[in-house]
C-alpha cells in the first residue's frame, strides 16, 4: 500500500489497516493488490503541449 509508513502505529493500536475509497467504502481486490505492489510513486507524466 502507498500508506506503508503508517502500518507501524496502526498495527500497534491493534487496528486493521485497510484501504478505503473517497466515500470510505471498500476498495476492490484489484486495487488493493495494485496498491500493495506499488512503490507509491506515480509514473512520470508527459509535458502539456500548447
Amino acid at each position: 500500500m502507498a500508506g506503508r509508513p503508517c502500518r507501524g502505529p496502526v498495527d500497534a493500536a491493534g487496528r486493521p489497516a485497510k484501504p478505503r475509497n473517497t466515500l470510505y467504502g471498500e476498495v476492490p481486490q484489484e486495487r488493493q493488490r495494485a496498491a500493495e505492489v506499488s512503490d507509491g510513486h506515480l509514473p512520470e507524466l508527459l509535458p502539456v503541449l500548447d
Side-chain angles (χ1 to χ4, degrees), residues 1-40:
M1 284 175 16
R4 278 184 220 126
C6 295
R7 289 297 287 257
V10 171
D11 290 342
R15 302 206 40 149
K18 359 184 341 185
R20 300 285 185 177
N21 64 22
T22 55
L23 299 175
Y24 293 100
E26 296 294 321
V27 175
Q29 287 292 324
E30 175 188 357
R31 294 304 314 141
Q32 280 188 292
R33 283 192 298 274
E36 289 169 1
V37 298
S38 171
D39 65 359

